Amino acid sequence: MRDVRVRFAPSPTGFLHIGGVRTALFNWLFARQRQGVFILRIEDTDQSRSTDESIQAILAGMKWVGLDWDEGPFRQTERMDLYRSYALKLFEMGDAYWCVCKAEELEARRKEAEAKGLSPRYDGRCRDLRITSPPGDAALRFKAPQMGQTMIDDLIKGTVVFDNTVVDDLIILRSNGYPTYNFSVVIDDALMGITHVVRGDDHLTNTPRQVPIFEALGFAVPRFGHLPMILGADKTRLSKRHGATSIMAYKDMGYLPDAMVNYLVRLGWSHGDQELFTRQELIEKFSWDHVQKSAAVFNPDKLLWMNAEYIKTSAPSQVAQALVPLLDQAGLKKEVEAVSDEWLAQLVVLVKERAKTLVDMVDWVKPYFGQEAQFEVEAAQKFLTPTVAPLLQKLLTCYEEFPCFSKQVWEESFKRLVEEEGIKMGALAQPVRVALTGRTASPGLFEVMEVLGRDRTLFRLQKGLERASVG
């Protein structure tokens, strides 16, 4: 087998779709497993729809999910002379011909064929005219084989056979000099030495159009693999009505890139009953044999569960780093700059069991920034009352005697005060929780104190006492 060379070749006509990321991911895993080469190629010959903004979105999405490429990114618009030279070579070899049919004529013939129940393919009217001096609006067509079959040994679907009689003479060079998709990808795949072309199965019908071009030019034909599409819960093609389809939208919603990678690779591939994989495990265990032949259904709930698992199990420092941009967006930039990386990681540990996304986590960590707690009105009215003020004063006096924070000592002192006062734990715990965080829900009380530290804990208890004293 030749050294593995694979590619991901998106068209820059919008955001990077999660279906495209899955295609890129399967190619990337295969390349990394075989110590091969993963190439990024931007197919931007559609000038009416391709934009530089979309190219940047593709690059940003690939970088976010950690799919690094070994060569590229190549842009087809920078390779136009190559396509034209090979198109003319096919003409010189007698494998292509000039077509002077007008667009309106082709459309009329297509409709006529459909009305008669016939295939709407090009009828080959110019095939044998042997035009050598074409007018400016002529297009160059490839002479597709008209007999026999084209057989594909698909990596995923197995043997697929196409009848050549239904394949028409496709245009390879438009009248404006631009190559068509089916031609340019052949030239690129051949010249880049691509050994395996793995793409969505919406491209399956393009394969019998492309293989004869490889063969006519004497190029080695790559191995093909066509991935089933991703469907929404209603079993229709995944679209915006099912939720976000842009990979970067999931970054904005607080998903971790490793969780997205893990979920997308499981969307159509399996290894026993295992659900969670490290990146290295995916590389080691990946196999085309375990890619399912049927379409996969996107399940947002399972993705959310998986993201929550990654938040719990990832290194706190890694989660903290991913959290920083969202904290900045939440208006906490100065507060974040004022704390250490170690403290931020400690804060992640405090709340990670409660957050399913980084957006959730932003809400959970807000109370721990700054000197003062921002009291929720209802929480303060319910728990910071004159009745509880004497208890808060006793607790504050007790804690002030300790020169440093000790979780064990402070917790024991708290429980001793509760016992002495003959009250339930919640009667003091809830007012203290509101005093420290401004809210009625938080992680463990003494873990909260540990993160806040001695001085801020005492300061916030004092502020809570002042609020309780005035009712």
Side-chain angles (χ1 to χ4, degrees):
M1 182 182 289
R2 292 179 289 168
D3 291 339
V4 167
R5 290 177 63 85
V6 293
R7 48 74 162 180
F8 175 52
S11 297
T13 56
F15 55 76
L16 181 57
H17 193 281
I18 56 176
V21 176
R22 187 189 66 165
T23 298
L25 173 59
F26 283 10
N27 279 281
W28 183 88
L29 288 172
F30 185 52
R32 294 293 171 260
Q33 184 185 77
R34 299 294 186 88
Q35 291 81 50
V37 176
F38 177 63
I39 297 169
L40 179 59
R41 187 172 76 220
I42 307 297
E43 299 189 339
D44 60 344
T45 55
D46 186 346
Q47 292 297 286
S48 64
R49 300 176 63 213
S50 299
T51 66
D52 288 338
E53 182 182 8
S54 293
I55 293 176
Q56 294 308 311
I58 289 168
L59 300 182
M62 294 287 285
K63 289 176 182 176
W64 181 62
V65 291
L67 299 185
D68 57 322
W69 51 91
D70 305 301
E71 296 179 12
F74 299 104
R75 292 183 62 168
Q76 286 188 326
T77 48
E78 296 171 352
R79 299 164 61 83
M80 301 301 290
D81 289 344
L82 275 173
Y83 308 134
R84 292 179 185 125
S85 65
Y86 277 98
L88 294 175
K89 182 177 180 180
L90 284 171
F91 173 72
E92 292 165 3
M93 294 165 55
D95 288 310
Y97 61 93
W98 291 105
C99 175
V100 294
C101 296
K102 307 294 184 184
E104 54 272 20
E105 295 172 348
L106 294 172
E107 178 64 15
R109 282 184 234 153
R110 184 188 67 79
K111 290 181 177 179
E112 182 181 349
E114 287 180 339
K116 294 179 179 178
L118 303 174
S119 170
R121 69 193 185 109
Y122 179 64
D123 59 9
R125 189 160 301 196
C126 296
R127 186 180 179 111
D128 298 318
L129 296 183
R130 299 182 181 180
I131 299 170
T132 57
S133 299
D137 58 353
L140 194 62
R141 288 184 182 271
F142 175 70
K143 283 186 178 179
Q146 296 183 309
M147 305 279 291
Q149 297 174 322
T150 297
M151 185 175 72
I152 308 298
D153 182 17
D154 195 279
L155 286 164
I156 298 157
K157 297 181 177 298
T159 301
V160 184
V161 179
F162 298 91
D163 188 344
N164 289 339
T165 59
V166 300
V167 180
D168 60 356
D169 294 346
L170 65 92
I171 293 174
I172 57 176
L173 205 62
R174 297 187 181 94
S175 58
N176 62 5
Y178 273 75
T180 56
Y181 164 79
N182 278 302
F183 181 65
S184 58
V185 296
V186 169
I187 303 305
D188 285 337
D189 287 341
L191 298 184
M192 293 178 184
I194 301 301
T195 58
H196 299 74
V197 173
V198 181
R199 54 195 179 184
D201 63 4
D202 52 331
H203 286 286
L204 182 61
T205 55
N206 288 325
T207 307
R209 295 166 172 260
Q210 295 168 7
V211 168
I213 299 175
F214 278 103
E215 294 173 338
L217 289 168
F219 292 138
V221 179
R223 186 83 185 271
F224 289 92
H226 293 89
L227 298 168
M229 65 176 62
I230 301 174
L231 304 179
D234 59 358
K235 303 299 175 67
T236 61
R237 187 166 186 164
L238 190 67
S239 65
K240 289 182 179 178
R241 70 176 180 276
H242 300 111
T245 55
S246 162
I247 190 64
M248 295 304 278
Y250 286 91
K251 178 184 179 183
D252 296 338
M253 289 189 292
Y255 286 79
L256 293 174
D258 283 343
M260 289 301 303
V261 164
N262 196 149
Y263 181 73
L264 288 175
V265 79
R266 285 287 291 111
L267 207 56
W269 174 85
S270 61
H271 183 80
D273 295 328
Q274 187 172 346
E275 288 286 357
L276 303 176
F277 298 82
T278 65
R279 192 76 61 115
Q280 188 56 41
E281 282 180 317
L282 288 175
I283 292 171
E284 292 170 358
K285 300 178 185 299
F286 183 76
S287 167
W288 297 118
D289 294 336
H290 292 152
V291 175
Q292 68 186 39
K293 295 178 173 61
S294 58
V297 177
F298 187 82
N299 184 339
D301 293 334
K302 186 171 182 179
L303 171 59
L304 188 62
W305 167 82
M306 189 168 285
N307 196 63
E309 292 300 307
Y310 268 84
I311 285 176
K312 293 174 188 175
T313 58
S314 297
S317 58
Q318 181 182 344
V319 177
Q321 185 179 13
L323 185 65
V324 168
L326 293 174
L327 291 172
D328 290 350
Q329 292 173 21
L332 295 169
K333 184 176 179 64
K334 290 182 179 179
E335 288 83 351
V336 171
E337 291 174 347
V339 301
S340 67
D341 293 342
E342 291 75 19
W343 184 84
L344 202 55
Q346 185 184 7
L347 187 56
V348 166
V349 173
L350 180 68
V351 303
K352 66 179 183 178
E353 296 291 334
R354 295 168 176 263
K356 293 184 177 181
T357 70
L358 296 182
V359 171
D360 289 345
M361 188 171 282
V362 168
D363 186 59
W364 277 107
V365 302
K366 277 181 180 179
Y368 304 94
F369 288 96
Q371 188 71 0
E372 294 191 38
Q374 302 299 315
F375 300 127
E376 292 180 347
V377 175
E378 290 185 6
Q381 288 175 344
K382 183 174 181 180
F383 293 104
L384 297 181
T385 63
T387 305
V388 83
L391 288 172
L392 290 177
Q393 180 63 71
K394 289 180 181 180
L395 184 67
L396 183 61
T397 302
C398 176
Y399 282 170
E400 285 175 337
E401 295 177 358
F402 302 125
C404 58
F405 175 81
S406 166
K407 182 181 175 185
Q408 180 180 347
V409 172
W410 286 42
E411 186 171 359
E412 288 174 354
S413 300
F414 188 97
K415 290 179 178 177
R416 189 161 49 248
L417 177 59
V418 167
E419 186 176 345
E420 290 172 355
E421 295 294 323
I423 58 175
K424 293 182 178 180
M425 181 74 94
L428 182 57
Q430 277 300 81
V432 169
R433 178 171 284 108
V434 174
L436 295 181
T437 69
R439 302 177 178 184
T440 56
S442 77
L445 205 53
F446 303 99
E447 285 80 7
V448 168
M449 294 180 185
E450 189 172 29
V451 166
L452 288 174
R454 178 185 184 275
D455 292 344
R456 276 202 300 163
T457 295
L458 295 179
F459 179 85
R460 292 188 178 195
L461 282 175
Q462 179 63 43
K463 290 297 181 181
L465 173 60
E466 292 172 6
R467 178 64 180 266
S469 299
V470 297

